[in-house]
Amino acid sequence: MTNKTAVAQRTERVVLRAEAVWKSYDDGAIRVLNDVDFAAVAGQTVALCGPSGCGKSTLLHLLGGLDAPDRGRVCINRKELNHSSNMLHMLRHEVGFVFQLHNLIPDLTLEENCLIPTVAAGIDRKTARARLQQLAERTGLSHRLGHRIQKLSGGERQRTALCRALMNRPKILLADEPTGSLDERTSAVVFDLLLEMVATEGLTLVMATHDRGLAERCDRLVEMHDGRIIESRTE
Amino acid sequence: MIFFKLILTNLRRHRIRTLISIAGIAFSVAAMLTIVTVLQGAIGMFSGILSSDSEIIVFERNVSDLFFSNVPAGAVQDMAGWPMVRNADPVLFGIVSSEDHPIITCFGVTAADARIRKATWMQGDRANFAQHDDDVVLGERAAEFLSATLGSQVQIGHGTFHVIGIVKTANGFEDGGVFMPLASAQTFFHKEGTSSVVTIKLRNKDDATAFKQLVKVKYKNLIALEDQEFTRSYSQFKILKATAWAVGGCGLLLGGLGVANTMIMSVFTRIREIAILRVSGFSNPQIAAMIFGESALVSILGAAAGLSIGTCFLWLLKLIPALHGYVDVSIQPAVVGIVIVLAFLTGVAGAFYPALYAMRIRAVEALRFE
C-alpha cells in the first residue's frame, strides 16, 4: 500500500472534521477557538482535555452544529454544516449529545424523555418504542421506563440521557463532561456503559473531560489550551 | 402523543396561571355571547314589531330613529289603494312614563292591525278596541307592572286611560307596551295626521321591488325597505350590533392579553427545556407549534367554559321577571361560531410573540442558562 493510498483511505474514514475554525463571543472580545483543525475517524473515541475555558465545549458545539464558527468550516460525513436545515438533519440523524447535566425534562417520564428525538425526527411510534426497549435493556433501565425523572438517581438520569442521545441511531456521539456531575463510582459505571454502547453501536465518540483517567481509556487524547489544540496523541 | 404530552405538561406545570388564562378567555367569551345574544334578541324583537304580518316598512327618509319619523295619513291611504298592496297599517310609536316606570312604549294602531288581530286576548274583546278615545289595551307584562285588570283606570303619562283588554304576545316590547287607537295616540303625542311607520303586506311578495320603486317616485321624503333590508340598514341596529361586538371584542382582547402573559412567562421559565428540544432535533415550526398548541388549548378550554357560563347567564336573565319577554336568549349558532373563532384567534395571537421568542432561543446559550 502506497503512502498516497493510505492517506486516501484514512481521509475516507473521517466522519467529523473542523478546518481552521475560529470562534469568539461578545463581538470578538472573548476569543474561544483560534484556528482549530480537528478530525475524527469512524469508530474512534476521542477525548478533548484541557483546563476550563480552553474551548472544549465550544468545539463540541461547533462539531454538532449547535453553533456556527466565525471562520472555517465543519463537516460531518463530508457534508459541510452551512445552513439551518442541514444542521437540523444532522441533529436528528447523525449526531447525539450527552451533557454534564442530564438535561432531561423533569415532568416527563424516562420513556417520554427518550422518545422526544423520535418525535422531532418523525419516527413512527412502534419503531421508536422498539428502539427504546433495546436501549433500556442494554443500559439497565427497563424497569424504570414509566418513572418520572425526579425519581431516578444521578447515574440513572445520565444513562437516560445516553439512551435519548442514541434513540435516532446517530453515527457520532458528542459528550460534554458526561460524568462530570456524578460521584467517582457512578462515574465509572456510566463511562463503562458509554464505551460499551459506543462499541456496540459502532459510534464515533468525541468527549470533553477533565478526568485524565477516563480520557486515557479513549483511542485518542486531544489536548487543548487557550483555544488551540496543542497536542494530539493516539493511545 | 409525546408532543401533546409536552403541551399538557407545560400547562399543568403552572396550573393557577393556566386556570387564570382560561378564566380570562372564558369570561370574555361569556360576556361577548351574552351581550351579542341579548342585543341580537332585542333587535330581533324590534324587527318583529315592525314586520308583524308584513313584508315592507315605509318610514321617513334620513331619520335617526323611527320615533322621529312622520308618514302623512294621506300617503298611507294612497298606498292602501295601490293594486299590489293587501294591507297598509300605520303605526305610531311613542314613549310615555307612569309613576313607577320611566319608559313604557306606546303603539298607536288601527283595529285592523296585525298586532291586535294576532295577539292572544287574555282579557277583553278585540271588537271593543278603538271604540272610545281613552281606551287602551295593555300587554300582559304592562298590566302586571301597572297592576291593572280589565276595566281599570291607568295613569299613563299625563293622561288617564280605561283598560279594555289585556293581550299576550311573544314579543317582549309589545308585551310590556300599551296599545292605543291610532287617533288617540296621534292626539296624545301631538302627531295629528301622521304615523311613525306604515307596515305593508303585499298581495304578491314578488311585487316588493315595484312597490319600493313606486314609493321612491311618488314620495321623495319616504323610504320603503323590505324587513331584512331594514334590519340590515337601520342605523340604530347597526350601532347596537357594532357596540355589542366592540364590547365583546374588548373583552376578548383582555383575555388574549392574559394568554399572551401566560405564554410569555411559560416560555421564559423553560428556556433551557426548549434548548433541550432543539438539541433533540426540534425545528422552529415544531417549537412554534408547541407554543401555539398550548395557547390554542387554553383558548378552546376557555371558549368551552365561556359558552357554558354565557348560556347559564342568559338562562338566568330569562328567569328575571322584570326582563320577561324583553330578553330573547335563543343563541344563534353563527354567534357561537364567531365567538369560538374569535377566542381561538385571540389565543393564537397571544402566543405569537412567545412563539417567536422561543424560535429564537439558541441551544448553546440556553444550555449555559441556569
Side-chain angles (χ1 to χ4, degrees), chain A residues 23 25 58 61 66-67 88 91-92 97 99 101 103-108 112 115-117 119-120 125 148 164, chain B residues 1-3 5-6 9 12-13 272-273 276-284 286 362-365 367-368 370:
Chain A
K23 184 71 186 175
Y25 296 110
T58 302
H61 294 154
L66 290 186
D67 208 353
L88 203 59
L91 282 172
R92 283 176 177 174
F97 273 96
F99 298 92
L101 297 171
N103 283 334
L104 299 166
I105 297 176
D107 302 286
L108 299 183
E112 288 160 351
L115 289 175
I116 285 172
V119 173
R125 202 173 163 78
R148 281 174 184 260
R164 185 183 61 187
Chain B
M1 189 64 190
I2 299 291
F3 194 78
K5 183 78 189 282
L6 275 171
T9 300
R12 275 204 317 232
R13 200 174 285 160
R272 192 180 182 87
E273 192 175 303
I276 295 167
L277 295 177
R278 281 215 166 288
V279 174
S280 300
F282 265 59
S283 62
N284 274 341
Q286 283 173 319
R362 294 185 66 232
V364 174
E365 287 166 12
L367 288 175
R368 289 198 202 108
E370 293 292 336

Side-chain angles (χ1 to χ4, degrees), chain B residues 113-231:
Chain B
D113 192 278
R115 292 155 198 79
I116 296 295
R117 276 191 289 116
K118 294 203 163 181
T120 305
W121 283 70
M122 310 295 290
Q123 295 178 35
D125 186 350
R126 184 165 74 88
N128 295 331
F129 185 72
Q131 297 295 313
H132 303 97
D133 288 347
D134 63 346
D135 286 350
V136 289
V137 173
L138 303 180
E140 192 184 29
R141 218 177 57 74
E144 206 175 284
F145 63 69
L146 289 169
S147 306
T149 56
L150 190 67
S152 298
Q153 298 286 323
V154 288
Q155 183 74 34
I156 298 172
H158 53 77
T160 304
F161 294 87
H162 178 228
V163 179
I164 57 121
I166 294 171
V167 294
K168 184 182 171 72
T169 71
N171 192 299
F173 287 130
E174 290 176 353
D175 227 31
V178 176
F179 295 91
M180 293 179 176
L182 180 62
S184 307
Q186 286 170 335
T187 308
F188 189 78
F189 292 108
H190 308 293
K191 287 201 161 190
E192 285 81 359
T194 64
S195 58
S196 305
V197 299
V198 190
T199 58
I200 304 289
K201 185 165 178 64
L202 298 169
R203 293 185 192 283
N204 185 344
K205 286 181 181 175
D206 294 339
D207 292 333
T209 310
F211 177 85
K212 288 191 288 182
Q213 187 59 31
L214 198 54
V215 171
K216 193 177 175 184
V217 171
K218 290 192 75 174
Y219 300 100
K220 302 284 183 199
N221 62 332
L222 298 182
I223 183 167
L225 293 176
E226 287 174 69
D227 294 337
Q228 287 182 346
E229 274 181 308
F230 176 77
T231 307

Side-chain angles (χ1 to χ4, degrees), chain A residues 71-121:
Chain A
R71 271 192 283 164
R73 61 185 205 136
V74 174
C75 299
I76 295 178
N77 288 327
R78 296 184 167 193
K79 286 176 204 150
E80 187 178 349
L81 296 184
N82 53 5
H83 54 80
S84 56
S85 64
N86 187 357
M87 288 186 183
L88 203 59
H89 176 82
M90 294 299 171
L91 282 172
R92 283 176 177 174
H93 302 288
E94 306 283 341
V95 179
F97 273 96
V98 180
F99 298 92
Q100 180 176 356
L101 297 171
H102 52 78
N103 283 334
L104 299 166
I105 297 176
D107 302 286
L108 299 183
T109 62
L110 186 159
E111 180 180 11
E112 288 160 351
N113 266 285
C114 288
L115 289 175
I116 285 172
T118 64
V119 173

Side-chain angles (χ1 to χ4, degrees), chain B residues 15-90:
Chain B
R15 287 178 194 176
I16 299 295
R17 204 162 63 193
T18 303
L19 282 175
I20 289 171
S21 293
I22 291 173
I25 291 282
F27 286 118
S28 309
V29 164
M32 186 177 246
L33 183 74
T34 307
I35 293 168
V36 171
T37 301
V38 167
L39 283 177
Q40 294 270 37
I43 289 168
M45 276 194 284
F46 194 62
S47 304
I49 295 171
L50 300 171
S51 62
S52 181
D53 198 30
S54 66
E55 292 100 21
I56 289 180
I57 176 169
V58 181
F59 57 100
E60 191 177 344
R61 191 181 285 275
N62 298 329
V63 289
S64 60
D65 195 296
L66 290 184
F67 283 94
F68 305 124
S69 165
N70 290 302
V71 181
V76 180
Q77 280 171 0
D78 181 27
M79 287 175 204
W82 293 354
M84 73 276 270
V85 174
R86 176 171 291 168
N87 295 317
D89 294 324

Side-chain angles (χ1 to χ4, degrees), chain B residues 293-306:
Chain B
E294 288 172 34
S295 70
L297 191 58
V298 166
S299 302
I300 288 167
L301 292 175

